[in-house]
Amino acid sequence: RKAIAAGLPADVALQAVTIRAAELAGLGSAMGSIEAGKIANLVVTEGGNVLGDSAKVRAVFIDGAKFDVAAAPAAPAGRAGGPGAGRGGPGTPAEAAQVGGTWRLNIDSPNGSQPATLTLQQNGTSFSGKLGSPMGELDVTDGKLSGNKMTFSTTMNMGGNQLTLEFSGDVAGNRVSGSVALGPMGNATFTGEKTP
């Protein structure tokens, strides 16, 4: 959005985070554009271009499965206050989502679908824990919550090199969906459900 505001055409910005990123990672024949035989996850928005300030994500299609994104509830009467207004009145941040517990994740990576287990301990708007996958158990670091948005990192050893994975997701009750920045390997998406 900052690049578009600075004058980059919207279609070029979208290519930069899709097909061009896939091509740079050597994965242009497998992902990055909507074509038969390619891996593609779709985001459906309302109110404009997905990179625009007014766009609201309404649904995400991952591996052919549709995940609806509910619209944010209207602020209770007398509590509207513009951006950041929440339970505490005008200008107060929204209450953080509750993420403590165990989550079953599915990470749709360039190497295919990968199951994972995320075990978190929450302390207010921060959290830590472990991410377990077929590649081993990794520490969750820099866990932060802002309303229903969650971000965290984990670092794995790949052939003697450290690879940091940056997760960013939206929490809706006992479900979460989002993206993972894989460094030079590009990007992935993930979905998850909290276990009872």
Side-chain angles (χ1 to χ4, degrees):
R1 290 179 181 173
K2 289 181 181 178
I4 292 171
L8 184 69
D11 60 330
V12 175
L14 184 59
Q15 289 176 15
V17 296
T18 55
I19 188 64
R20 301 298 173 240
E23 289 171 348
L24 284 172
L27 299 168
S29 62
M31 62 178 53
S33 60
I34 304 170
E35 296 178 57
K38 284 191 172 184
I39 299 168
N41 299 317
L42 303 176
V43 177
V44 179
T45 62
E46 175 185 9
N49 185 302
V50 68
L51 297 178
D53 289 333
S54 61
K56 296 178 177 67
V57 176
R58 291 297 179 236
V60 179
F61 288 84
I62 300 173
D63 282 339
K66 181 182 179 187
F67 296 87
D68 289 317
V69 179
R79 291 203 178 174
R87 293 184 131 206
T92 302
E95 184 176 332
Q98 298 301 304
V99 299
T102 302
W103 297 77
R104 290 190 309 266
L105 302 185
N106 186 64
I107 302 171
D108 185 15
S109 75
N111 296 325
S113 182
Q114 303 288 329
T117 302
L118 184 63
T119 306
L120 302 177
Q121 297 82 42
Q122 182 174 346
N123 183 9
T125 59
S126 63
F127 60 90
S128 60
K130 300 283 185 183
L131 178 69
S133 74
M135 302 202 52
E137 189 173 74
L138 306 170
D139 289 326
V140 169
T141 58
D142 300 319
K144 294 181 177 55
L145 292 161
S146 177
N148 69 335
K149 304 272 186 195
M150 72 183 301
T151 57
F152 65 93
S153 303
T154 190
T155 302
M156 65 188 334
N157 191 319
M158 293 190 67
N161 295 316
Q162 298 290 338
L163 175 64
T164 299
L165 311 180
E166 302 281 347
F167 287 75
S168 176
D170 293 306
V171 180
N174 65 346
R175 293 184 180 271
V176 64
S177 63
S179 61
V180 191
L182 305 174
M185 295 174 59
N187 295 296
T189 57
F190 75 96
T191 58
E193 187 170 358
K194 195 173 184 182
T195 61

